[in-house]
């Protein structure tokens, strides 16, 4: 997945960093020169990494961080005197001048952490509360009763309907209950 946006006020620098990443096997979503462009591109992604300098044409990295959702991280590439002591949540620093292998390794580490967080969120979503389990069971019971299905057929019907409609199983169960209770 290409969840990386490279943003520097000088387009040549941003393109050079993008090229380094691409040669290192890391896809880049886009290149920007302003904070507004970064925020616009970030709106099209669920999560990602912004690789940027200290100051853009229209805002500083700290302003970009403030406007981004928490699922985004910033890799700040700047001189050590401008890099805060790591106290800004969601910002990792890389001192100038950067070494290619340091850049690649840091981005790969950040991508790995992002995948780990995504997996945790996905697993947490799978764990249902007792109320949610009861709602799904009620929808299955209704399908069994009204449509002469087995428990397995009712479960499979809810699964397939949720996949076909792009909703989760709980939402599908709620729709079934709403439609069939009328």
């Amino acid at each position: 997945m290409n969840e990386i946006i490279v943003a520097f006020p000088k387009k040549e620098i941003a393109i050079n960093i993008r090229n380094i990443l691409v040669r290192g096997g890391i896809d880049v979503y886009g290149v920007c020169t302003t904070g507004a462009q970064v925020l616009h591109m970030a709106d099209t992604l669920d999560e990602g990494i912004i690789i940027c300098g200290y100051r853009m044409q229209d805002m500083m990295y700290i302003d970009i961080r403030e406007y981004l959702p928490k699922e985004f991280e910033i890799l700040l590439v700047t001189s050590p005197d401008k890099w805060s002591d790591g106290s800004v949540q969601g910002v990792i620093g890389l001192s100038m001048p950067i070494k290619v292998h340091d850049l690649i390794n840091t981005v790969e580490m950040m991508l790995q952490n992002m995948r780990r967080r995504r997996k945790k969120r996905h697993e947490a979503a799978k764990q249902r509360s007792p109320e949610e389990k009861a709602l799904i069971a009620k929808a299955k019971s209704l399908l069994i009763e009204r449509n002469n299905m087995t428990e397995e057929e009712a479960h499979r019907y809810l699964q397939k309907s949720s996949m076909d409609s792009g909703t989760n199983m709980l939402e599908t169960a709620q729709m079934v209950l709403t439609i069939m209770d009328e």
Side-chain angles (χ1 to χ4, degrees):
M1 294 186 106
N2 51 1
E3 302 129 335
I4 298 173
I5 298 171
V6 180
F8 286 86
K10 293 184 180 174
K11 193 165 189 165
E12 313 82 62
I13 294 172
I15 290 172
N16 287 339
I17 289 180
R18 181 204 56 202
N19 292 342
I20 290 169
L21 293 171
V22 170
R23 280 194 301 269
I26 299 171
D27 291 333
V28 175
Y29 183 72
V31 173
C32 304
T33 57
T34 67
Q37 290 172 337
V38 170
L39 297 173
H40 180 71
M41 274 191 196
D43 278 344
T44 63
L45 300 171
D46 295 327
E47 60 188 351
I49 299 169
I50 312 299
I51 302 172
C52 67
Y54 181 75
R55 179 184 299 274
M56 303 302 296
Q57 291 178 4
D58 56 350
M59 61 181 80
M60 294 178 58
Y61 82 96
I62 198 83
D63 299 321
I64 295 171
R65 173 66 259 166
E66 186 178 317
Y67 294 122
L68 287 172
K70 66 179 174 68
E71 290 82 19
F72 282 84
E73 287 188 354
I74 290 181
L75 176 57
L76 178 63
V77 180
T78 189
S79 60
D81 61 316
K82 291 184 179 173
W83 166 237
S84 64
D85 58 1
S87 61
V88 180
Q89 183 78 21
V91 178
I92 295 175
L94 196 57
S95 297
M96 290 287 285
I98 57 172
K99 296 181 178 118
V100 171
H101 71 278
D102 287 343
L103 176 65
I104 298 290
N105 289 341
T106 303
V107 170
E108 285 177 345
M109 175 196 69
M110 292 174 79
L111 286 169
Q112 196 171 41
N113 287 338
M114 191 168 52
R115 286 185 206 107
R116 195 175 306 119
R117 283 191 309 273
R118 183 184 311 137
K119 186 176 178 183
K120 280 184 180 179
R121 281 194 311 269
H122 185 70
E123 288 171 359
K126 283 184 177 180
Q127 298 172 357
R128 295 191 176 99
S129 71
E131 297 83 21
E132 293 170 337
K133 287 179 184 176
L135 189 77
I136 291 171
K138 187 176 177 185
K140 284 184 196 177
S141 296
L142 198 59
L143 288 168
I144 291 168
E145 178 187 318
R146 297 236 179 123
N147 296 354
N148 297 320
M149 293 181 170
T150 65
E151 195 277 334
E152 187 178 312
E153 289 171 333
H155 182 80
R156 195 164 302 175
Y157 175 82
L158 288 174
Q159 272 184 327
K160 183 166 180 5
S161 296
S162 69
M163 285 190 279
D164 291 347
S165 65
T167 60
N168 65 39
M169 201 157 157
L170 181 65
E171 291 172 304
T172 303
Q174 289 170 327
M175 286 189 283
V176 165
L177 289 172
T178 303
I179 292 168
M180 294 185 92
D181 274 344
E182 292 176 344

